[in-house]
Amino acid sequence: MTVVIGFEGSANKIGVGIIRDGEVLSNPRRTYITPPGQGFLPSDTARHHRGVILTVLKEALEEAGIKPDDIDCVAYTKGPGMGAPLVTVALVARTVAQLWAKPLLGVNHCIGHIEMGRLITQANNPTVLYVSGGNTQVIAYSERRYRIFGETIDIAVGNCLDRFARVIKISNDPSPGYNIEQMAKRGKQYVELPYTVKGMDVSFSGILSYIEVTFRSVCFLQETLFSMLVEITERAMAHCGSQEVLIVGGVGCNIRLQEMMGVMCKERGAKLFATDERFCIDNGAMIAQAGWEMFRSGQVTELSDSWITQRYRTDEVEVTWRD
Amino acid sequence: MAVPGEENNHKQGKLEFALDVPFPSTREASIAFKSLIPDREPRKGGISKEITVSDSTLSVRWRADETRILRVSVGSFMDHLTLVMETMEAFGPPVPV
């Protein structure tokens, strides 16, 4: 029996989750929500996380009915993400790991999403579309690495949506993406936007500039952005001969994206996997799950190596827990 | 003790700040030290920070050229130190090893 506690706070969500052999025992989370028209800045976000992290940690232990002694490993997000919030979370993880005399494990945030998606959906070996406010990558596993087949060459798709939400000043509660999705349901007219797929990759900053200047309505924005994501996912599937797609990351909550991806999958006779907002959106349990896999395959992070990093490529990690 | 926490930016700054933090025990000072040293200072010329631990006292020495840079670094460190101490308060004492 292996119990891992995971700490996540690389963006505006702070979460602590506990996993025991594939079972999520607890997964509390708080979100730093800014007023309409404003994004979240690193130092303010870190301040928010500092204010609540110990409370969330206590909740995680109580909900799970776990004592520190029961824990086998303390996992935390090493990166990528925003510097100040990452440090905040790492400080607490390092401190409790020492207080409880437990090994520490620095986890790649993207891999946290992937491993949680695999656990919840039981997808076998899917092509993964990882889409969030901070990341947009198409990933497939091959020979001990999560290889990046395609990605954004500038900003993440979620970043494009969030920044447009700021321009039109809609609420950031519960998240700007969720509110854009609700508004888009009322859209009746498709307006053509620049379509910027670049081979295996995508670009979003040009579309953002275009809609900031020309349009105030958001209904059609999703259609263009998501079509581009479906295209590069399909291209990766064709390369890999894959019959499964797994969508992870906060933008993966979007039902319209799931619908559009579902249409492409159906045409190819492939299966689509997605999770709900508990696990799509950044959370502590996903870090615990990746930590569980890494720990069981013999990995550990020495305290002196436990520095956080804002840039951390998904394919930098040796995936020692898969063949 | 040696200086693992030292930044090699600029040891000649004209402004200095010294901080000595007492802990209830050598072990707790060591825990705080090991939690606080791994992360690199956000890259900025004109500031150097040296963290050391001796028995149950954690010491930090800063040298900087400008007050603004010094203030940001010290303020940031105080936030981090406070968080570590609050964590130790809430989840300590350290288990016997």
Side-chain angles (χ1 to χ4, degrees):
Chain A
M1 195 167 71
T2 305
V3 178
V4 180
I5 188 167
F7 291 80
E8 156 57 30
S10 57
N12 66 331
K13 278 76 70 184
I14 169 88
V16 181
I18 300 179
I19 292 225
R20 179 180 59 207
D21 296 334
E23 197 191 337
V24 179
L25 300 181
S26 63
N27 201 13
R29 171 176 71 206
R30 300 278 193 283
T31 307
Y32 171 50
I33 299 177
T34 45
Q38 288 181 35
F40 52 91
L41 295 170
S43 55
D44 299 328
T45 308
R47 186 176 308 122
H48 167 268
H49 291 356
R50 282 198 302 273
V52 300
I53 185 171
L54 297 180
T55 306
V56 178
L57 169 52
K58 282 191 196 120
E59 268 178 36
L61 292 166
E62 274 164 29
E63 247 177 73
I66 286 276
K67 292 184 310 298
D69 195 51
D70 303 324
I71 293 171
D72 294 295
C73 171
V74 176
Y76 70 100
T77 307
K78 183 178 175 67
M82 300 169 87
L86 282 169
V87 169
T88 295
V89 175
L91 286 171
V92 174
R94 290 177 198 134
T95 305
V96 297
Q98 292 179 82
L99 287 172
W100 302 336
K102 303 291 178 184
L104 192 62
L105 244 181
V107 172
N108 178 300
H109 179 89
C110 316
I111 293 189
H113 277 291
I114 296 172
E115 292 305 332
M116 200 65 196
R118 286 181 65 224
L119 174 71
I120 297 296
T121 66
Q122 294 290 300
N124 182 32
N125 190 18
T127 301
V128 179
L129 175 66
Y130 169 34
V131 273
S132 69
N135 294 280
T136 295
Q137 297 174 7
V138 177
I139 295 157
Y141 173 76
S142 172
E143 289 182 29
R144 304 242 150 163
R145 299 272 158 163
Y146 282 117
R147 315 227 173 231
I148 301 171
F149 273 73
E151 59 186 323
T152 175
I153 61 176
D154 39 62
I155 61 175
V157 63
N159 193 232
C160 182
L161 292 165
D162 292 350
R163 283 162 69 175
F164 188 62
R166 279 184 242 161
V167 167
I168 58 175
K169 288 203 166 44
I170 60 176
S171 169
N172 291 321
D173 188 359
S175 75
Y178 177 83
N179 293 326
I180 287 181
E181 185 178 357
Q182 305 319 306
M183 277 182 72
K185 289 177 184 168
R186 303 197 296 268
K188 299 207 182 356
Q189 186 194 10
Y190 173 74
V191 177
E192 198 171 328
L193 293 178
Y195 185 88
T196 45
V197 167
K198 315 273 183 190
M200 304 288 293
D201 296 323
V202 282
S203 163
F204 295 113
S205 60
I207 300 180
L208 178 62
S209 305
Y210 187 84
I211 55 179
E212 279 173 338
V213 165
T214 56
F215 291 108
R216 297 284 147 184
S217 167
V218 80
C219 315
F220 43 81
L221 176 59
Q222 289 189 155
E223 301 299 303
T224 305
L225 298 182
F226 296 165
S227 299
M228 290 163 56
L229 295 173
V230 171
E231 181 180 334
I232 63 167
T233 306
E234 187 172 12
R235 193 157 286 131
M237 287 168 78
H239 272 269
C240 301
S242 165
Q243 286 297 95
E244 290 176 316
V245 172
L246 170 64
I247 309 180
V248 298
V251 180
C253 293
N254 189 301
I255 303 294
R256 184 61 190 137
L257 173 60
Q258 291 179 27
E259 268 172 21
M260 291 170 73
M261 193 69 74
V263 168
M264 179 274 284
C265 284
K266 191 152 171 240
E267 285 170 3
R268 296 182 69 89
K271 239 189 131 186
L272 175 62
F273 296 90
T275 62
D276 63 48
E277 57 84 36
R278 287 172 299 164
F279 303 113
C280 268
I281 298 179
D282 292 347
N283 63 91
M286 76 186 195
I287 301 301
Q289 176 58 18
W292 186 92
E293 295 278 23
M294 292 168 76
F295 183 65
R296 302 236 321 179
S297 72
Q299 292 197 44
V300 144
T301 304
E302 293 303 320
L303 270 163
S304 49
D305 293 328
S306 69
W307 36 269
I308 59 95
T309 175
Q310 290 182 225
R311 302 216 185 294
Y312 192 8
R313 297 285 287 168
T314 313
D315 52 16
E316 267 183 61
V317 176
E318 205 194 333
V319 181
T320 51
W321 57 97
R322 291 182 67 174
D323 296 313
Chain B
M1 198 170 161
V3 293
E6 182 180 344
E7 298 297 318
N8 285 323
N9 281 327
H10 214 288
K11 289 212 77 181
Q12 301 220 328
K14 49 188 194 271
L15 302 168
E16 291 176 23
F17 193 96
L19 183 69
D20 293 300
V21 186
F23 282 86
S25 69
T26 304
R27 174 117 182 261
E28 281 159 295
S30 168
I31 290 175
F33 177 73
K34 288 181 181 163
S35 291
L36 289 161
I37 58 163
D39 301 306
R40 285 146 206 174
E41 185 90 358
R43 219 167 301 151
K44 229 172 204 140
I47 182 110
S48 83
K49 183 175 93 196
E50 199 178 291
I51 310 179
T52 55
V53 68
S54 179
D55 295 324
S56 61
T57 302
L58 182 82
S59 299
V60 194
R61 298 289 178 271
W62 281 267
R63 294 191 101 97
D65 288 331
E66 289 172 46
T67 47
R68 182 181 48 86
I69 299 175
L70 180 62
R71 188 176 60 235
V72 167
S73 181
V74 172
S76 210
F77 181 82
M78 295 305 286
D79 289 335
H80 296 164
L81 175 67
T82 308
L83 180 59
V84 168
M85 290 171 84
E86 284 171 353
T87 306
M88 290 170 72
E89 180 104 1
F91 294 94
V95 302
V97 159

